[in-house]
Amino acid sequence: MLHNLFTPSVQHSLDLIGIFVFAISGALMAVRKNWDVFGIGVLAEVTALGGGLLRDLIIGAVPPAAFTDLGYFVTPLVAAALVFFLHPEVERTQTAVNVFDAAGLGLFCVTGTTKAYAYGLGLTASAALGVATAVGGGVLRDIIANEVPSLVRWDRDLYAVPAMVGAVTVVLCINYDALNAYTSSLAVLTAFLLRLLAMRYHWRAPRAWNRRSASVDVTEETP
């Protein structure tokens, strides 16, 4: 049942859209870091494919899809080329990029969860791997760019939480034998909207209870 949620062509198209928007975010960071064209391409590839590679290696789906489908590998390079030549225009549409990134987050947390379950993982492990699929590329991007990963920065709007909600929605549907194209689409939409609301209202995860540390936050330090 899990392999038949969407037709292969629709699934492939959705994957490429998600890969493209994630690659845009990676390429933009490389431009802001003043990297050369090779660095832009590398960061675009890592951001777009990192989460899926991690998932496929863990579940034993080898060789990973990124190496068996040329479209998966070429799409980030197209995004990198677009940013290389048109990065001022792309940055001016950052709001649109953020919206597409939120859509990619919702899509990948759902497809990552369903693929992990289809390969025999339990519900909890499947949900965890779905989240890793959605956020893994961004974590690798930040590490390579020598940044504190956005995933663990308290001053960033919720990112992993929407992916967790989407992944948990999927495993609940699986558990109650209710997963189909409609409920999986609802899970994508839920994660997508939650991420948009987090960006709109700057929702953030709470820090340690009754925190009284005298240390200075990285974001509060003088440059």
Side-chain angles (χ1 to χ4, degrees):
M1 178 184 69
L2 297 180
H3 293 292
N4 298 318
L5 293 176
F6 302 103
T7 64
S9 60
V10 170
Q11 181 66 60
H12 190 257
S13 298
L14 292 174
D15 284 345
L16 292 181
I17 291 170
I19 287 170
F20 182 80
V21 296
F22 280 154
I24 289 285
S25 70
L28 281 174
M29 176 173 283
V31 169
R32 295 182 188 122
K33 292 281 185 178
N34 201 30
W35 289 7
D36 62 18
V37 63
F38 180 76
I40 294 171
V42 167
L43 209 57
E45 289 280 359
V46 168
T47 307
L49 303 177
L53 282 171
L54 175 66
R55 176 203 61 213
D56 288 350
L57 290 174
I58 290 175
I59 63 179
V62 291
F67 293 99
T68 59
D69 189 318
L70 187 61
Y72 284 19
F73 188 80
V74 171
T75 298
L77 297 180
V78 173
L82 179 67
V83 170
F84 181 82
F85 289 107
L86 302 174
H87 60 88
E89 288 74 14
V90 174
E91 294 215 60
R92 280 198 289 270
T93 61
Q94 186 62 47
T95 299
V97 172
N98 288 339
V99 171
F100 282 111
D101 182 81
L105 180 81
L107 172 68
F108 280 12
C109 73
V110 171
T111 57
T113 303
T114 55
K115 185 170 184 178
Y117 186 78
Y119 273 77
L121 269 65
L123 294 178
T124 301
S126 295
L129 205 50
V131 175
T133 303
V135 306
V139 172
L140 291 174
R141 174 200 64 205
D142 293 342
I143 291 173
I144 292 174
N146 198 30
E147 296 277 342
V148 176
S150 299
L151 184 68
V152 296
R153 287 185 59 171
W154 72 270
D155 61 323
R156 295 298 175 89
D157 302 331
L158 293 179
Y159 195 76
V161 171
M164 291 173 62
V165 171
V168 169
T169 301
V170 171
V171 297
L172 286 175
C173 289
I174 293 173
N175 187 58
Y176 292 103
D177 198 25
L179 188 67
N180 51 50
Y182 299 105
T183 55
S184 59
S185 297
L186 179 62
V188 172
L189 184 62
T190 299
F192 170 63
L193 292 178
L194 187 55
R195 171 59 179 162
L196 290 184
L197 289 171
M199 290 190 292
R200 173 65 177 83
Y201 296 106
H202 302 297
W203 292 344
R204 293 167 183 169
R207 288 190 281 175
W209 178 257
N210 202 25
R211 177 176 176 269
R212 298 184 183 278
S213 172
S215 63
V216 179
D217 291 310
V218 173
T219 55
E220 296 171 353
E221 293 178 350
T222 301

